[in-house]
Amino acid sequence: MATWVEDEIGRKWDRCFTDAIFKFGGGILLGGVFSLFFFKRRKWPIITGAGFGLGMAYANCQEDLNSAIRQQQKRDCTKVDEGIKNS
C-alpha cells in the first residue's frame, strides 16, 4: 500500500507534538524534584527543566522532518541530462 508524502509528514508532526508534550512534562517533573530537594523550592530549576525538554524535542523533531525532506529530494537526473544532450 502506497503512502502519500503529506500523510507521512502529518504523522511526523504528530510524533513531534507528542514528544514535545512528554519531554516538557518530564522536564517540569525533574526540575520540580530538583527544586524541592536541592534548591529550596525555587522556580528556576522547573523553568530550566522545561526548557531543556522543549529543546530536546525541537532537536528530535528537526532531525525527523529534515530526514523526510532529504529522502524526498533524491531524484534521478540522468534522464533529464540525456534528453538535453540529444536535443
Side-chain angles (χ1 to χ4, degrees), residues 28-74:
I28 287 177
L29 183 68
L30 193 61
V33 168
F34 273 83
S35 174
L36 185 64
F37 291 122
F38 299 114
F39 296 109
K40 298 180 184 176
R41 299 181 188 204
R42 305 283 175 150
K43 290 181 187 177
W44 68 266
I46 299 170
I47 294 169
T48 304
F52 281 140
L54 283 177
M56 288 172 45
Y58 178 79
N60 290 344
C61 185
Q62 183 179 16
E63 183 62 34
D64 198 21
L65 289 174
N66 284 341
S67 70
I69 292 170
R70 272 188 247 120
Q71 183 182 22
Q72 190 179 34
Q73 289 179 349
K74 293 180 183 177

Side-chain angles (χ1 to χ4, degrees), residues 1 4 6 11 15 18-19 21 27-28 31 36 56 58 62 65 69-70 74 76 78-79 85:
M1 185 168 119
W4 293 92
E6 294 86 3
R11 283 192 295 274
R15 277 195 305 251
T18 304
D19 190 37
I21 289 169
I28 287 177
L36 185 64
M56 288 172 45
Y58 178 79
Q62 183 179 16
L65 289 174
I69 292 170
R70 272 188 247 120
K74 293 180 183 177
D76 186 21
T78 56
K79 293 179 183 177
K85 289 179 185 176

